PDB file of all heavy atoms in Angstrom:
ATOM      1  N   ILE E  13      -9.360 -11.883   8.025  1.00 94.00           N
ATOM      2  CA  ILE E  13      -8.349 -12.878   7.670  1.00 94.00           C
ATOM      3  C   ILE E  13      -7.404 -12.250   6.654  1.00 94.00           C
ATOM      4  O   ILE E  13      -7.835 -11.775   5.599  1.00 94.00           O
ATOM      5  CB  ILE E  13      -8.976 -14.147   7.058  1.00 94.00           C
ATOM      6  CG1 ILE E  13     -10.040 -14.737   8.003  1.00 94.00           C
ATOM      7  CG2 ILE E  13      -7.905 -15.175   6.742  1.00 94.00           C
ATOM      8  CD1 ILE E  13      -9.514 -15.233   9.320  1.00 94.00           C
ATOM      9  N   ARG E  14      -6.131 -12.236   6.988  1.00 93.00           N
ATOM     10  CA  ARG E  14      -5.118 -11.708   6.062  1.00 93.00           C
ATOM     11  C   ARG E  14      -4.214 -12.864   5.628  1.00 93.00           C
ATOM     12  O   ARG E  14      -3.702 -13.600   6.473  1.00 93.00           O
ATOM     13  CB  ARG E  14      -4.272 -10.618   6.723  1.00 93.00           C
ATOM     14  CG  ARG E  14      -5.075  -9.426   7.234  1.00 93.00           C
ATOM     15  CD  ARG E  14      -4.170  -8.237   7.506  1.00 93.00           C
ATOM     16  NE  ARG E  14      -3.085  -8.586   8.414  1.00 93.00           N
ATOM     17  CZ  ARG E  14      -1.929  -7.913   8.488  1.00 93.00           C
ATOM     18  NH1 ARG E  14      -1.689  -6.900   7.675  1.00 93.00           N
ATOM     19  NH2 ARG E  14      -1.012  -8.265   9.370  1.00 93.00           N
ATOM     20  N   ILE E  15      -4.013 -12.984   4.320  1.00 92.00           N
ATOM     21  CA  ILE E  15      -3.208 -14.084   3.790  1.00 92.00           C
ATOM     22  C   ILE E  15      -2.229 -13.558   2.742  1.00 92.00           C
ATOM     23  O   ILE E  15      -2.605 -12.799   1.846  1.00 92.00           O
ATOM     24  CB  ILE E  15      -4.091 -15.177   3.151  1.00 92.00           C
ATOM     25  CG1 ILE E  15      -4.955 -15.857   4.218  1.00 92.00           C
ATOM     26  CG2 ILE E  15      -3.230 -16.222   2.438  1.00 92.00           C
ATOM     27  CD1 ILE E  15      -5.903 -16.894   3.651  1.00 92.00           C
ATOM     28  N   ALA E  16      -0.988 -13.964   2.883  1.00 91.00           N
ATOM     29  CA  ALA E  16       0.031 -13.733   1.856  1.00 91.00           C
ATOM     30  C   ALA E  16       0.690 -15.077   1.589  1.00 91.00           C
ATOM     31  O   ALA E  16       1.294 -15.658   2.489  1.00 91.00           O
ATOM     32  CB  ALA E  16       1.062 -12.706   2.322  1.00 91.00           C
ATOM     33  N   ASP E  17       0.545 -15.570   0.372  1.00 89.00           N
ATOM     34  CA  ASP E  17       1.070 -16.893   0.014  1.00 89.00           C
ATOM     35  C   ASP E  17       2.107 -16.727  -1.093  1.00 89.00           C
ATOM     36  O   ASP E  17       1.780 -16.627  -2.266  1.00 89.00           O
ATOM     37  CB  ASP E  17      -0.055 -17.809  -0.447  1.00 89.00           C
ATOM     38  CG  ASP E  17       0.391 -19.272  -0.526  1.00 89.00           C
ATOM     39  OD1 ASP E  17       1.613 -19.522  -0.467  1.00 89.00           O
ATOM     40  OD2 ASP E  17      -0.482 -20.150  -0.638  1.00 89.00           O
ATOM     41  N   ARG E  18       3.361 -16.678  -0.707  1.00 85.00           N
ATOM     42  CA  ARG E  18       4.431 -16.460  -1.673  1.00 85.00           C
ATOM     43  C   ARG E  18       4.743 -17.708  -2.492  1.00 85.00           C
ATOM     44  O   ARG E  18       5.500 -17.642  -3.459  1.00 85.00           O
ATOM     45  CB  ARG E  18       5.684 -15.960  -0.955  1.00 85.00           C
ATOM     46  CG  ARG E  18       5.524 -14.553  -0.389  1.00 85.00           C
ATOM     47  CD  ARG E  18       6.824 -14.017   0.194  1.00 85.00           C
ATOM     48  NE  ARG E  18       6.735 -12.595   0.486  1.00 85.00           N
ATOM     49  CZ  ARG E  18       6.328 -12.073   1.640  1.00 85.00           C
ATOM     50  NH1 ARG E  18       5.968 -12.892   2.614  1.00 85.00           N
ATOM     51  NH2 ARG E  18       6.268 -10.769   1.827  1.00 85.00           N
ATOM     52  N   ARG E  19       4.177 -18.839  -2.113  1.00 82.00           N
ATOM     53  CA  ARG E  19       4.414 -20.072  -2.862  1.00 82.00           C
ATOM     54  C   ARG E  19       3.631 -20.076  -4.177  1.00 82.00           C
ATOM     55  O   ARG E  19       4.075 -20.678  -5.158  1.00 82.00           O
ATOM     56  CB  ARG E  19       3.998 -21.284  -2.022  1.00 82.00           C
ATOM     57  CG  ARG E  19       4.649 -21.332  -0.648  1.00 82.00           C
ATOM     58  CD  ARG E  19       4.194 -22.545   0.141  1.00 82.00           C
ATOM     59  NE  ARG E  19       4.591 -22.456   1.545  1.00 82.00           N
ATOM     60  CZ  ARG E  19       4.420 -23.423   2.435  1.00 82.00           C
ATOM     61  NH1 ARG E  19       3.851 -24.548   2.072  1.00 82.00           N
ATOM     62  NH2 ARG E  19       4.801 -23.260   3.690  1.00 82.00           N
ATOM     63  N   THR E  20       2.476 -19.441  -4.171  1.00 78.00           N
ATOM     64  CA  THR E  20       1.622 -19.455  -5.361  1.00 78.00           C
ATOM     65  C   THR E  20       1.403 -18.077  -5.962  1.00 78.00           C
ATOM     66  O   THR E  20       0.797 -17.963  -7.022  1.00 78.00           O
ATOM     67  CB  THR E  20       0.240 -20.064  -5.009  1.00 78.00           C
ATOM     68  OG1 THR E  20      -0.364 -19.275  -3.976  1.00 78.00           O
ATOM     69  CG2 THR E  20       0.400 -21.491  -4.515  1.00 78.00           C
ATOM     70  N   ASP E  21       1.869 -17.039  -5.282  1.00 70.00           N
ATOM     71  CA  ASP E  21       1.630 -15.671  -5.745  1.00 70.00           C
ATOM     72  C   ASP E  21       2.950 -15.018  -6.126  1.00 70.00           C
ATOM     73  O   ASP E  21       3.718 -14.588  -5.272  1.00 70.00           O
ATOM     74  CB  ASP E  21       0.937 -14.861  -4.643  1.00 70.00           C
ATOM     75  CG  ASP E  21       0.566 -13.463  -5.098  1.00 70.00           C
ATOM     76  OD1 ASP E  21       0.764 -13.153  -6.288  1.00 70.00           O
ATOM     77  OD2 ASP E  21       0.083 -12.685  -4.263  1.00 70.00           O
ATOM     78  N   SER E  22       3.196 -14.915  -7.428  1.00 70.00           N
ATOM     79  CA  SER E  22       4.448 -14.327  -7.907  1.00 70.00           C
ATOM     80  C   SER E  22       4.451 -12.807  -7.778  1.00 70.00           C
ATOM     81  O   SER E  22       5.507 -12.175  -7.811  1.00 70.00           O
ATOM     82  CB  SER E  22       4.684 -14.714  -9.377  1.00 70.00           C
ATOM     83  OG  SER E  22       3.612 -14.259 -10.186  1.00 70.00           O
ATOM     84  N   GLU E  23       3.269 -12.195  -7.611  1.00 74.00           N
ATOM     85  CA  GLU E  23       3.171 -10.744  -7.509  1.00 74.00           C
ATOM     86  C   GLU E  23       3.325 -10.243  -6.077  1.00 74.00           C
ATOM     87  O   GLU E  23       3.305  -9.036  -5.834  1.00 74.00           O
ATOM     88  CB  GLU E  23       1.826 -10.285  -8.077  1.00 74.00           C
ATOM     89  CG  GLU E  23       1.664 -10.587  -9.572  1.00 74.00           C
ATOM     90  CD  GLU E  23       0.349 -10.082 -10.100  1.00 74.00           C
ATOM     91  OE1 GLU E  23      -0.444  -9.523  -9.292  1.00 74.00           O
ATOM     92  OE2 GLU E  23       0.101 -10.227 -11.309  1.00 74.00           O
ATOM     93  N   ASN E  24       3.454 -11.171  -5.135  1.00 80.00           N
ATOM     94  CA  ASN E  24       3.698 -10.815  -3.736  1.00 80.00           C
ATOM     95  C   ASN E  24       2.609  -9.881  -3.199  1.00 80.00           C
ATOM     96  O   ASN E  24       2.875  -8.754  -2.779  1.00 80.00           O
ATOM     97  CB  ASN E  24       5.080 -10.160  -3.588  1.00 80.00           C
ATOM     98  CG  ASN E  24       5.512 -10.063  -2.132  1.00 80.00           C
ATOM     99  OD1 ASN E  24       5.112 -10.868  -1.298  1.00 80.00           O
ATOM    100  ND2 ASN E  24       6.312  -9.052  -1.822  1.00 80.00           N
ATOM    101  N   THR E  25       1.387 -10.363  -3.212  1.00 86.00           N
ATOM    102  CA  THR E  25       0.267  -9.569  -2.720  1.00 86.00           C
ATOM    103  C   THR E  25      -0.303 -10.172  -1.444  1.00 86.00           C
ATOM    104  O   THR E  25      -0.091 -11.350  -1.138  1.00 86.00           O
ATOM    105  CB  THR E  25      -0.861  -9.485  -3.768  1.00 86.00           C
ATOM    106  OG1 THR E  25      -1.298 -10.816  -4.089  1.00 86.00           O
ATOM    107  CG2 THR E  25      -0.378  -8.790  -5.024  1.00 86.00           C
ATOM    108  N   MET E  26      -1.023  -9.336  -0.720  1.00 89.00           N
ATOM    109  CA  MET E  26      -1.710  -9.767   0.486  1.00 89.00           C
ATOM    110  C   MET E  26      -3.197  -9.483   0.292  1.00 89.00           C
ATOM    111  O   MET E  26      -3.573  -8.383  -0.112  1.00 89.00           O
ATOM    112  CB  MET E  26      -1.185  -9.006   1.709  1.00 89.00           C
ATOM    113  CG  MET E  26      -1.767  -9.476   3.043  1.00 89.00           C
ATOM    114  SD  MET E  26      -3.327  -8.672   3.492  1.00 89.00           S
ATOM    115  CE  MET E  26      -2.802  -6.981   3.670  1.00 89.00           C
ATOM    116  N   ARG E  27      -4.029 -10.459   0.544  1.00 91.00           N
ATOM    117  CA  ARG E  27      -5.466 -10.240   0.437  1.00 91.00           C
ATOM    118  C   ARG E  27      -6.107 -10.435   1.803  1.00 91.00           C
ATOM    119  O   ARG E  27      -5.657 -11.267   2.609  1.00 91.00           O
ATOM    120  CB  ARG E  27      -6.102 -11.180  -0.589  1.00 91.00           C
ATOM    121  CG  ARG E  27      -6.055 -12.654  -0.261  1.00 91.00           C
ATOM    122  CD  ARG E  27      -6.562 -13.499  -1.412  1.00 91.00           C
ATOM    123  NE  ARG E  27      -6.570 -14.926  -1.113  1.00 91.00           N
ATOM    124  CZ  ARG E  27      -7.626 -15.573  -0.632  1.00 91.00           C
ATOM    125  NH1 ARG E  27      -8.755 -14.928  -0.427  1.00 91.00           N
ATOM    126  NH2 ARG E  27      -7.567 -16.872  -0.380  1.00 91.00           N
ATOM    127  N   ALA E  28      -7.125  -9.649   2.040  1.00 92.00           N
ATOM    128  CA  ALA E  28      -7.844  -9.725   3.306  1.00 92.00           C
ATOM    129  C   ALA E  28      -9.332  -9.879   3.023  1.00 92.00           C
ATOM    130  O   ALA E  28      -9.879  -9.223   2.135  1.00 92.00           O
ATOM    131  CB  ALA E  28      -7.600  -8.473   4.135  1.00 92.00           C
ATOM    132  N   PHE E  29      -9.983 -10.781   3.750  1.00 94.00           N
ATOM    133  CA  PHE E  29     -11.431 -10.912   3.678  1.00 94.00           C
ATOM    134  C   PHE E  29     -11.978 -10.985   5.088  1.00 94.00           C
ATOM    135  O   PHE E  29     -11.224 -11.054   6.067  1.00 94.00           O
ATOM    136  CB  PHE E  29     -11.848 -12.131   2.829  1.00 94.00           C
ATOM    137  CG  PHE E  29     -11.320 -13.447   3.301  1.00 94.00           C
ATOM    138  CD1 PHE E  29     -12.023 -14.212   4.227  1.00 94.00           C
ATOM    139  CD2 PHE E  29     -10.114 -13.940   2.817  1.00 94.00           C
ATOM    140  CE1 PHE E  29     -11.535 -15.445   4.664  1.00 94.00           C
ATOM    141  CE2 PHE E  29      -9.620 -15.166   3.249  1.00 94.00           C
ATOM    142  CZ  PHE E  29     -10.336 -15.922   4.172  1.00 94.00           C
ATOM    143  N   PHE E  30     -13.304 -10.974   5.213  1.00 95.00           N
ATOM    144  CA  PHE E  30     -13.912 -10.764   6.527  1.00 95.00           C
ATOM    145  C   PHE E  30     -15.023 -11.785   6.788  1.00 95.00           C
ATOM    146  O   PHE E  30     -15.707 -12.244   5.877  1.00 95.00           O
ATOM    147  CB  PHE E  30     -14.485  -9.349   6.620  1.00 95.00           C
ATOM    148  CG  PHE E  30     -13.475  -8.283   6.312  1.00 95.00           C
ATOM    149  CD1 PHE E  30     -13.320  -7.813   5.006  1.00 95.00           C
ATOM    150  CD2 PHE E  30     -12.669  -7.764   7.301  1.00 95.00           C
ATOM    151  CE1 PHE E  30     -12.397  -6.834   4.715  1.00 95.00           C
ATOM    152  CE2 PHE E  30     -11.739  -6.783   7.018  1.00 95.00           C
ATOM    153  CZ  PHE E  30     -11.593  -6.322   5.718  1.00 95.00           C
ATOM    154  N   LEU E  31     -15.191 -12.109   8.075  1.00 95.00           N
ATOM    155  CA  LEU E  31     -16.255 -12.993   8.541  1.00 95.00           C
ATOM    156  C   LEU E  31     -17.154 -12.214   9.497  1.00 95.00           C
ATOM    157  O   LEU E  31     -16.672 -11.394  10.284  1.00 95.00           O
ATOM    158  CB  LEU E  31     -15.677 -14.209   9.268  1.00 95.00           C
ATOM    159  CG  LEU E  31     -14.586 -15.023   8.554  1.00 95.00           C
ATOM    160  CD1 LEU E  31     -14.097 -16.136   9.467  1.00 95.00           C
ATOM    161  CD2 LEU E  31     -15.084 -15.575   7.228  1.00 95.00           C
ATOM    162  N   ASP E  32     -18.466 -12.486   9.429  1.00 94.00           N
ATOM    163  CA  ASP E  32     -19.355 -11.855  10.394  1.00 94.00           C
ATOM    164  C   ASP E  32     -19.380 -12.667  11.682  1.00 94.00           C
ATOM    165  O   ASP E  32     -18.647 -13.660  11.825  1.00 94.00           O
ATOM    166  CB  ASP E  32     -20.756 -11.665   9.806  1.00 94.00           C
ATOM    167  CG  ASP E  32     -21.464 -12.983   9.507  1.00 94.00           C
ATOM    168  OD1 ASP E  32     -20.983 -14.046   9.943  1.00 94.00           O
ATOM    169  OD2 ASP E  32     -22.513 -12.941   8.825  1.00 94.00           O
ATOM    170  N   ALA E  33     -20.223 -12.286  12.626  1.00 92.00           N
ATOM    171  CA  ALA E  33     -20.236 -12.936  13.936  1.00 92.00           C
ATOM    172  C   ALA E  33     -20.610 -14.414  13.855  1.00 92.00           C
ATOM    173  O   ALA E  33     -20.217 -15.207  14.713  1.00 92.00           O
ATOM    174  CB  ALA E  33     -21.196 -12.198  14.867  1.00 92.00           C
ATOM    175  N   SER E  34     -21.361 -14.793  12.817  1.00 92.00           N
ATOM    176  CA  SER E  34     -21.770 -16.190  12.665  1.00 92.00           C
ATOM    177  C   SER E  34     -20.742 -17.024  11.909  1.00 92.00           C
ATOM    178  O   SER E  34     -20.904 -18.235  11.770  1.00 92.00           O
ATOM    179  CB  SER E  34     -23.119 -16.266  11.936  1.00 92.00           C
ATOM    180  OG  SER E  34     -22.997 -15.808  10.592  1.00 92.00           O
ATOM    181  N   GLY E  35     -19.694 -16.382  11.409  1.00 92.00           N
ATOM    182  CA  GLY E  35     -18.668 -17.093  10.657  1.00 92.00           C
ATOM    183  C   GLY E  35     -18.878 -17.033   9.150  1.00 92.00           C
ATOM    184  O   GLY E  35     -18.082 -17.599   8.385  1.00 92.00           O
ATOM    185  N   LYS E  36     -19.919 -16.351   8.700  1.00 93.00           N
ATOM    186  CA  LYS E  36     -20.194 -16.243   7.269  1.00 93.00           C
ATOM    187  C   LYS E  36     -19.222 -15.275   6.614  1.00 93.00           C
ATOM    188  O   LYS E  36     -18.957 -14.199   7.125  1.00 93.00           O
ATOM    189  CB  LYS E  36     -21.627 -15.761   7.042  1.00 93.00           C
ATOM    190  CG  LYS E  36     -21.996 -15.596   5.578  1.00 93.00           C
ATOM    191  CD  LYS E  36     -23.411 -15.064   5.437  1.00 93.00           C
ATOM    192  CE  LYS E  36     -23.764 -14.826   3.968  1.00 93.00           C
ATOM    193  NZ  LYS E  36     -25.142 -14.286   3.823  1.00 93.00           N
ATOM    194  N   ARG E  37     -18.692 -15.684   5.472  1.00 93.00           N
ATOM    195  CA  ARG E  37     -17.738 -14.830   4.749  1.00 93.00           C
ATOM    196  C   ARG E  37     -18.480 -13.713   4.030  1.00 93.00           C
ATOM    197  O   ARG E  37     -19.466 -13.943   3.316  1.00 93.00           O
ATOM    198  CB  ARG E  37     -16.931 -15.663   3.758  1.00 93.00           C
ATOM    199  CG  ARG E  37     -15.888 -14.858   2.990  1.00 93.00           C
ATOM    200  CD  ARG E  37     -14.931 -15.767   2.266  1.00 93.00           C
ATOM    201  NE  ARG E  37     -14.018 -15.016   1.398  1.00 93.00           N
ATOM    202  CZ  ARG E  37     -12.975 -15.547   0.770  1.00 93.00           C
ATOM    203  NH1 ARG E  37     -12.716 -16.841   0.930  1.00 93.00           N
ATOM    204  NH2 ARG E  37     -12.194 -14.808   0.018  1.00 93.00           N
ATOM    205  N   LEU E  38     -18.001 -12.488   4.204  1.00 93.00           N
ATOM    206  CA  LEU E  38     -18.611 -11.327   3.569  1.00 93.00           C
ATOM    207  C   LEU E  38     -18.026 -11.121   2.168  1.00 93.00           C
ATOM    208  O   LEU E  38     -16.949 -11.635   1.845  1.00 93.00           O
ATOM    209  CB  LEU E  38     -18.377 -10.078   4.423  1.00 93.00           C
ATOM    210  CG  LEU E  38     -18.873 -10.165   5.880  1.00 93.00           C
ATOM    211  CD1 LEU E  38     -18.503  -8.902   6.637  1.00 93.00           C
ATOM    212  CD2 LEU E  38     -20.375 -10.393   5.916  1.00 93.00           C
ATOM    213  N   GLU E  39     -18.714 -10.341   1.375  1.00 91.00           N
ATOM    214  CA  GLU E  39     -18.259 -10.115   0.002  1.00 91.00           C
ATOM    215  C   GLU E  39     -17.054  -9.188  -0.058  1.00 91.00           C
ATOM    216  O   GLU E  39     -16.243  -9.267  -0.988  1.00 91.00           O
ATOM    217  CB  GLU E  39     -19.401  -9.530  -0.833  1.00 91.00           C
ATOM    218  CG  GLU E  39     -20.565 -10.495  -1.045  1.00 91.00           C
ATOM    219  CD  GLU E  39     -21.631  -9.905  -1.944  1.00 91.00           C
ATOM    220  OE1 GLU E  39     -21.436  -8.768  -2.421  1.00 91.00           O
ATOM    221  OE2 GLU E  39     -22.658 -10.575  -2.174  1.00 91.00           O
ATOM    222  N   ALA E  40     -16.933  -8.289   0.901  1.00 90.00           N
ATOM    223  CA  ALA E  40     -15.832  -7.316   0.893  1.00 90.00           C
ATOM    224  C   ALA E  40     -14.481  -8.008   0.945  1.00 90.00           C
ATOM    225  O   ALA E  40     -14.290  -8.988   1.671  1.00 90.00           O
ATOM    226  CB  ALA E  40     -15.972  -6.360   2.070  1.00 90.00           C
ATOM    227  N   GLU E  41     -13.535  -7.500   0.173  1.00 90.00           N
ATOM    228  CA  GLU E  41     -12.187  -8.063   0.146  1.00 90.00           C
ATOM    229  C   GLU E  41     -11.193  -6.949  -0.139  1.00 90.00           C
ATOM    230  O   GLU E  41     -11.483  -6.017  -0.903  1.00 90.00           O
ATOM    231  CB  GLU E  41     -12.074  -9.160  -0.911  1.00 90.00           C
ATOM    232  CG  GLU E  41     -10.736  -9.898  -0.894  1.00 90.00           C
ATOM    233  CD  GLU E  41     -10.728 -11.142  -1.774  1.00 90.00           C
ATOM    234  OE1 GLU E  41     -11.728 -11.900  -1.717  1.00 90.00           O
ATOM    235  OE2 GLU E  41      -9.751 -11.341  -2.502  1.00 90.00           O
ATOM    236  N   ARG E  42     -10.025  -7.017   0.479  1.00 88.00           N
ATOM    237  CA  ARG E  42      -8.973  -6.017   0.272  1.00 88.00           C
ATOM    238  C   ARG E  42      -7.740  -6.719  -0.298  1.00 88.00           C
ATOM    239  O   ARG E  42      -7.348  -7.788   0.177  1.00 88.00           O
ATOM    240  CB  ARG E  42      -8.603  -5.336   1.591  1.00 88.00           C
ATOM    241  CG  ARG E  42      -9.802  -4.830   2.406  1.00 88.00           C
ATOM    242  CD  ARG E  42     -10.369  -3.555   1.846  1.00 88.00           C
ATOM    243  NE  ARG E  42     -11.427  -3.045   2.698  1.00 88.00           N
ATOM    244  CZ  ARG E  42     -12.727  -3.182   2.452  1.00 88.00           C
ATOM    245  NH1 ARG E  42     -13.123  -3.827   1.351  1.00 88.00           N
ATOM    246  NH2 ARG E  42     -13.626  -2.678   3.283  1.00 88.00           N
ATOM    247  N   VAL E  43      -7.149  -6.106  -1.308  1.00 86.00           N
ATOM    248  CA  VAL E  43      -5.940  -6.659  -1.920  1.00 86.00           C
ATOM    249  C   VAL E  43      -4.886  -5.562  -1.984  1.00 86.00           C
ATOM    250  O   VAL E  43      -5.175  -4.429  -2.389  1.00 86.00           O
ATOM    251  CB  VAL E  43      -6.215  -7.199  -3.340  1.00 86.00           C
ATOM    252  CG1 VAL E  43      -4.927  -7.743  -3.956  1.00 86.00           C
ATOM    253  CG2 VAL E  43      -7.286  -8.281  -3.312  1.00 86.00           C
ATOM    254  N   GLY E  44      -3.681  -5.889  -1.571  1.00 84.00           N
ATOM    255  CA  GLY E  44      -2.602  -4.918  -1.589  1.00 84.00           C
ATOM    256  C   GLY E  44      -1.257  -5.599  -1.552  1.00 84.00           C
ATOM    257  O   GLY E  44      -1.170  -6.836  -1.465  1.00 84.00           O
ATOM    258  N   PRO E  45      -0.174  -4.831  -1.620  1.00 83.00           N
ATOM    259  CA  PRO E  45       1.161  -5.428  -1.591  1.00 83.00           C
ATOM    260  C   PRO E  45       1.465  -6.048  -0.235  1.00 83.00           C
ATOM    261  O   PRO E  45       1.073  -5.518   0.802  1.00 83.00           O
ATOM    262  CB  PRO E  45       2.078  -4.228  -1.866  1.00 83.00           C
ATOM    263  CG  PRO E  45       1.288  -3.036  -1.430  1.00 83.00           C
ATOM    264  CD  PRO E  45      -0.141  -3.357  -1.740  1.00 83.00           C
ATOM    265  N   ALA E  46       2.137  -7.177  -0.264  1.00 80.00           N
ATOM    266  CA  ALA E  46       2.525  -7.870   0.977  1.00 80.00           C
ATOM    267  C   ALA E  46       3.863  -7.323   1.452  1.00 80.00           C
ATOM    268  O   ALA E  46       4.917  -7.950   1.281  1.00 80.00           O
ATOM    269  CB  ALA E  46       2.588  -9.372   0.744  1.00 80.00           C
ATOM    270  N   ASN E  47       3.816  -6.140   2.065  1.00 83.00           N
ATOM    271  CA  ASN E  47       5.052  -5.501   2.522  1.00 83.00           C
ATOM    272  C   ASN E  47       5.567  -6.082   3.824  1.00 83.00           C
ATOM    273  O   ASN E  47       6.711  -5.848   4.211  1.00 83.00           O
ATOM    274  CB  ASN E  47       4.805  -3.998   2.702  1.00 83.00           C
ATOM    275  CG  ASN E  47       4.441  -3.318   1.399  1.00 83.00           C
ATOM    276  OD1 ASN E  47       4.948  -3.679   0.338  1.00 83.00           O
ATOM    277  ND2 ASN E  47       3.551  -2.328   1.465  1.00 83.00           N
ATOM    278  N   PHE E  48       4.722  -6.827   4.506  1.00 83.00           N
ATOM    279  CA  PHE E  48       5.096  -7.378   5.807  1.00 83.00           C
ATOM    280  C   PHE E  48       5.785  -8.721   5.637  1.00 83.00           C
ATOM    281  O   PHE E  48       5.309  -9.594   4.909  1.00 83.00           O
ATOM    282  CB  PHE E  48       3.842  -7.546   6.667  1.00 83.00           C
ATOM    283  CG  PHE E  48       4.108  -8.103   8.030  1.00 83.00           C
ATOM    284  CD1 PHE E  48       4.571  -7.295   9.044  1.00 83.00           C
ATOM    285  CD2 PHE E  48       3.894  -9.447   8.291  1.00 83.00           C
ATOM    286  CE1 PHE E  48       4.817  -7.814  10.307  1.00 83.00           C
ATOM    287  CE2 PHE E  48       4.127  -9.974   9.546  1.00 83.00           C
ATOM    288  CZ  PHE E  48       4.582  -9.154  10.555  1.00 83.00           C
ATOM    289  N   ASP E  49       6.917  -8.885   6.313  1.00 86.00           N
ATOM    290  CA  ASP E  49       7.651 -10.154   6.297  1.00 86.00           C
ATOM    291  C   ASP E  49       7.791 -10.646   7.735  1.00 86.00           C
ATOM    292  O   ASP E  49       8.552 -10.066   8.522  1.00 86.00           O
ATOM    293  CB  ASP E  49       9.033  -9.978   5.664  1.00 86.00           C
ATOM    294  CG  ASP E  49       9.747 -11.302   5.428  1.00 86.00           C
ATOM    295  OD1 ASP E  49       9.367 -12.303   6.069  1.00 86.00           O
ATOM    296  OD2 ASP E  49      10.682 -11.342   4.603  1.00 86.00           O
ATOM    297  N   PRO E  50       7.057 -11.686   8.116  1.00 87.00           N
ATOM    298  CA  PRO E  50       7.095 -12.141   9.509  1.00 87.00           C
ATOM    299  C   PRO E  50       8.479 -12.587   9.977  1.00 87.00           C
ATOM    300  O   PRO E  50       8.775 -12.565  11.171  1.00 87.00           O
ATOM    301  CB  PRO E  50       6.098 -13.315   9.519  1.00 87.00           C
ATOM    302  CG  PRO E  50       6.035 -13.782   8.099  1.00 87.00           C
ATOM    303  CD  PRO E  50       6.200 -12.542   7.273  1.00 87.00           C
ATOM    304  N   ARG E  51       9.315 -12.995   9.048  1.00 86.00           N
ATOM    305  CA  ARG E  51      10.640 -13.494   9.427  1.00 86.00           C
ATOM    306  C   ARG E  51      11.516 -12.422  10.042  1.00 86.00           C
ATOM    307  O   ARG E  51      12.524 -12.717  10.696  1.00 86.00           O
ATOM    308  CB  ARG E  51      11.330 -14.088   8.196  1.00 86.00           C
ATOM    309  CG  ARG E  51      10.609 -15.295   7.610  1.00 86.00           C
ATOM    310  CD  ARG E  51      11.182 -15.688   6.264  1.00 86.00           C
ATOM    311  NE  ARG E  51      11.007 -14.620   5.272  1.00 86.00           N
ATOM    312  CZ  ARG E  51      11.372 -14.723   3.999  1.00 86.00           C
ATOM    313  NH1 ARG E  51      11.936 -15.837   3.568  1.00 86.00           N
ATOM    314  NH2 ARG E  51      11.172 -13.718   3.164  1.00 86.00           N
ATOM    315  N   ARG E  52      11.158 -11.163   9.858  1.00 87.00           N
ATOM    316  CA  ARG E  52      11.945 -10.050  10.391  1.00 87.00           C
ATOM    317  C   ARG E  52      11.425  -9.543  11.724  1.00 87.00           C
ATOM    318  O   ARG E  52      11.992  -8.607  12.289  1.00 87.00           O
ATOM    319  CB  ARG E  52      11.953  -8.896   9.384  1.00 87.00           C
ATOM    320  CG  ARG E  52      12.590  -9.266   8.046  1.00 87.00           C
ATOM    321  CD  ARG E  52      12.550  -8.091   7.087  1.00 87.00           C
ATOM    322  NE  ARG E  52      13.139  -8.437   5.800  1.00 87.00           N
ATOM    323  CZ  ARG E  52      13.202  -7.596   4.747  1.00 87.00           C
ATOM    324  NH1 ARG E  52      12.700  -6.380   4.865  1.00 87.00           N
ATOM    325  NH2 ARG E  52      13.747  -7.992   3.620  1.00 87.00           N
ATOM    326  N   ARG E  53      10.358 -10.132  12.203  1.00 85.00           N
ATOM    327  CA  ARG E  53       9.780  -9.699  13.468  1.00 85.00           C
ATOM    328  C   ARG E  53      10.430 -10.424  14.643  1.00 85.00           C
ATOM    329  O   ARG E  53      10.823 -11.586  14.531  1.00 85.00           O
ATOM    330  CB  ARG E  53       8.268  -9.945  13.478  1.00 85.00           C
ATOM    331  CG  ARG E  53       7.532  -9.198  12.391  1.00 85.00           C
ATOM    332  CD  ARG E  53       7.730  -7.704  12.519  1.00 85.00           C
ATOM    333  NE  ARG E  53       7.036  -7.185  13.690  1.00 85.00           N
ATOM    334  CZ  ARG E  53       7.174  -5.952  14.142  1.00 85.00           C
ATOM    335  NH1 ARG E  53       8.008  -5.113  13.568  1.00 85.00           N
ATOM    336  NH2 ARG E  53       6.497  -5.548  15.193  1.00 85.00           N
ATOM    337  N   PRO E  54      10.552  -9.742  15.791  1.00 82.00           N
ATOM    338  CA  PRO E  54      11.226 -10.359  16.954  1.00 82.00           C
ATOM    339  C   PRO E  54      10.541 -11.621  17.447  1.00 82.00           C
ATOM    340  O   PRO E  54      11.210 -12.553  17.888  1.00 82.00           O
ATOM    341  CB  PRO E  54      11.196  -9.245  18.010  1.00 82.00           C
ATOM    342  CG  PRO E  54      10.100  -8.317  17.566  1.00 82.00           C
ATOM    343  CD  PRO E  54      10.111  -8.359  16.082  1.00 82.00           C
TER     344      PRO E  54
END
């Protein structure tokens, strides 16, 4: 799951977390700059 929420995040970051096959959320998480802007995609 990748989420970038510019409404509440002034630092413009994107965080990613993961679910296993049963839907359980794993502890691993990735945080980085939200360089992707969907509004520019075709």
Side-chain angles (χ1 to χ4, degrees):
I13 305 296
R14 301 196 305 157
I15 294 177
D17 193 347
R18 292 186 169 90
R19 306 180 192 186
T20 59
D21 184 5
S22 59
E23 297 182 359
N24 193 28
T25 58
M26 185 273 296
R27 65 187 182 93
F29 58 89
F30 305 91
L31 308 177
D32 65 12
S34 66
K36 179 182 177 181
R37 182 167 173 172
L38 304 176
E39 293 183 2
E41 186 170 316
R42 311 283 185 259
V43 179
N47 297 325
F48 180 80
D49 189 340
R51 297 170 297 183
R52 298 179 181 178
R53 300 300 290 171

